[in-house]
Amino acid sequence: MTHQLLALDFSGMLSLEAVRFGMPDRLERALRHSGLWDLGVDVERYWNDIVKPTWETGSTTPTPYAILIARRLSCDDALQRAERFVQAYLQASVIDPAWRPLFDAMQSAEHMTPLVATDHYAEATDHIARQIAAMGWHATALRIDDTGKTSPQIIPTPNGDCPPSRAVLIANSADLGVRKDSALFWRRVQEGLGEQPTEILIVDDFGANENLLDFYADPVKVNRRQTQTIDAMRSVFGAPVQTFPFILDRTLPDREALYAAYRAKVEATVREVVTVLHGR
């Protein structure tokens, strides 16, 4: 029997707003509101002196992003300011409602396991779980337990209820200790899955939609990341991988055109993925 694993990216794919938060005007407002601006963290310094030197640790360890930011600054209340900034970032990082038809369609695809696979900071896991709840699902995080093995950990819904056995899984690089272009990431995902997939679908921008000021969006790195991620999945699962690249046109003239193109891309992608899920 065919069992599909559907891997969905988060930032820049499920959540366009997570990327839009980094646009210079919005980022400056957030830096000012949080108080980081008063410590000399302008837009340029944020990318060069905060994001770049902390990304390796932030994306592969449970150290919260707010702590990593505070460590780069010399101020008694740097952590409080950093926490305000991170909270603003997460609040902006919502799953776009245009994806709801996919989440609805997944409910009837019992032969499929949905997985949000993301390179992200430690704080993102619980946040993504809340976003999944807003889509009408529950979430289970894949995390390394005390024995060094990957195990699913139920994340209670906002009202405190425990979710049923079937849920959207979350594989965050900060929880698994390695980013998703590595075979080790997918071996740990494999260990945490309840059933071995015979077919894999991945919907991902591979970093292409990230802010152009972010080193993560470098086209050379994006192409390498896509190749390495797909190769890693194939080698670990020994199953065919069908890729749905979700890459936006970066030459769009304004915000309205970007959102229109994004939602058109979502609609087309949902149609393609649902057709595969239901064998039509």
Side-chain angles (χ1 to χ4, degrees):
M1 179 180 177
T2 298
H3 186 86
Q4 296 165 319
L5 175 67
L6 174 58
L8 304 169
D9 184 42
F10 186 73
S11 180
M13 205 279 288
L14 287 179
S15 177
L16 179 62
E17 290 303 308
V19 173
R20 291 287 302 169
F21 179 84
M23 297 299 291
D25 56 340
R26 287 182 63 176
L27 181 57
E28 179 176 334
R29 287 197 299 271
L31 290 169
R32 289 183 181 276
H33 180 74
S34 67
L36 292 178
W37 188 274
D38 295 334
L39 301 182
V41 183
D42 58 15
V43 171
E44 182 177 0
R45 187 183 175 196
Y46 172 74
W47 291 114
N48 293 331
D49 296 344
I50 302 294
V51 175
K52 287 183 181 179
T54 64
W55 174 243
E56 179 65 30
T57 299
S59 62
T60 60
T61 76
T63 305
Y65 185 35
I67 289 178
L68 295 173
I69 294 174
R71 287 176 180 172
R72 303 288 300 175
L73 305 170
S74 56
C75 177
D76 290 341
D77 65 345
L79 180 58
Q80 291 178 318
R81 298 175 190 231
E83 287 174 339
R84 284 197 295 268
F85 175 82
V86 172
Q87 187 61 32
Y89 169 50
L90 293 176
Q91 287 177 347
S93 301
V94 297
I95 295 179
D96 195 281
W99 289 103
R100 181 173 288 278
L102 177 59
F103 281 84
D104 291 345
M106 293 191 306
Q107 294 282 2
S108 60
E110 295 184 359
H111 60 284
M112 179 273 305
T113 298
L115 170 78
V116 174
T118 181
D119 293 338
H120 220 310
Y121 299 105
E123 294 99 326
T125 302
D126 286 350
H127 168 75
I128 293 172
R130 290 190 292 272
Q131 288 298 302
I132 289 171
M135 290 287 111
W137 282 74
H138 302 285
T140 298
L142 298 180
R143 288 180 164 134
I144 306 299
D145 62 23
D146 293 339
T147 69
K149 294 183 178 181
T150 306
S151 61
Q153 297 182 7
I154 293 172
I155 301 179
T157 58
N159 61 10
D161 294 338
C162 288
S165 57
R166 191 165 187 263
V168 175
L169 301 178
I170 302 173
N172 182 356
S173 63
D175 295 327
L176 298 183
V178 63
R179 288 188 292 274
K180 62 186 179 182
D181 58 358
S182 166
L184 180 56
F185 179 96
W186 296 104
R187 283 198 294 272
R188 288 177 172 169
V189 168
Q190 182 185 46
E191 188 175 51
L193 289 175
E195 187 170 359
Q196 174 72 9
T198 56
E199 182 182 11
I200 299 167
L201 287 66
I202 179 170
V203 189
D204 205 315
D205 73 316
F206 302 100
N209 297 337
E210 293 294 331
N211 194 292
L212 290 176
L213 294 175
D214 189 345
F215 69 97
Y216 198 74
D218 182 310
V220 174
K221 293 181 179 180
V222 168
N223 291 335
R224 183 169 62 244
R225 191 179 298 121
Q226 178 172 348
T227 299
Q228 291 176 340
T229 300
I230 295 170
D231 287 348
M233 297 174 85
R234 285 184 179 134
S235 67
V236 168
F237 292 106
V241 178
Q242 187 166 349
T243 308
F244 301 84
F246 191 90
I247 298 175
L248 301 174
D249 181 359
R250 305 307 293 261
T251 65
L252 294 169
D254 54 38
R255 179 179 180 274
E256 289 72 19
L258 174 63
Y259 277 93
Y262 172 79
R263 296 209 165 105
K265 180 72 172 173
V266 172
E267 184 177 346
T269 300
V270 169
R271 283 199 303 269
E272 290 181 63
V273 173
V274 170
T275 296
V276 175
L277 289 180
H278 292 286
R280 295 194 296 268

